[in-house]
Amino acid sequence: MQTLAHIGDGGPGPWILLFPVIWALVIGGGIALLRRTVWRGRRGGPWGRPTVESDSPLAVLGRRFASGEIDEDEYWRRLSVLNEEFGRKGGAA
């Protein structure tokens, strides 16, 4: 470390220690900026987004079935009605 401080000896001087600090700040600032803007609200990335909105009839039906409010027969009967009403093709497998 003593040779870094001796500028007159032809060494790089203490300024060489400043460059890694600057790069660390630039990289850390870029990550912080991305976390606050682009990545906000994307838990798990774009592939982790739910395909059904949380307040849609299908989501409400699924929550009611999962909580035990309705049985399996009632779930399938109501799901078929929703599929016919909203024009969804194919069954939910």
Side-chain angles (χ1 to χ4, degrees):
M1 249 355 209
Q2 192 97 14
T3 59
L4 290 176
H6 294 279
I7 298 172
D9 293 341
W15 296 107
I16 196 168
L17 299 176
L18 187 63
F19 293 113
V21 173
I22 290 173
W23 277 110
L25 288 173
V26 167
I27 292 171
I31 290 173
L33 182 67
L34 285 173
R35 287 187 65 188
R36 292 185 59 88
T37 58
V38 177
W39 295 337
R40 181 176 292 255
R42 284 191 184 180
R43 303 290 182 239
W47 51 89
R49 290 183 188 160
T51 57
V52 178
E53 291 134 18
S54 62
D55 58 345
S56 73
L58 292 174
V60 172
L61 180 64
R63 279 196 301 270
R64 289 187 64 197
F65 177 64
S67 68
E69 290 181 40
I70 58 175
D71 62 350
E72 186 176 359
D73 294 330
E74 180 78 13
Y75 172 76
W76 288 112
R77 190 171 70 243
R78 290 183 183 207
L79 184 64
S80 66
V81 170
L82 288 174
N83 284 339
E84 288 175 11
E85 183 177 335
F86 291 110
R88 190 170 161 188
K89 303 292 183 227

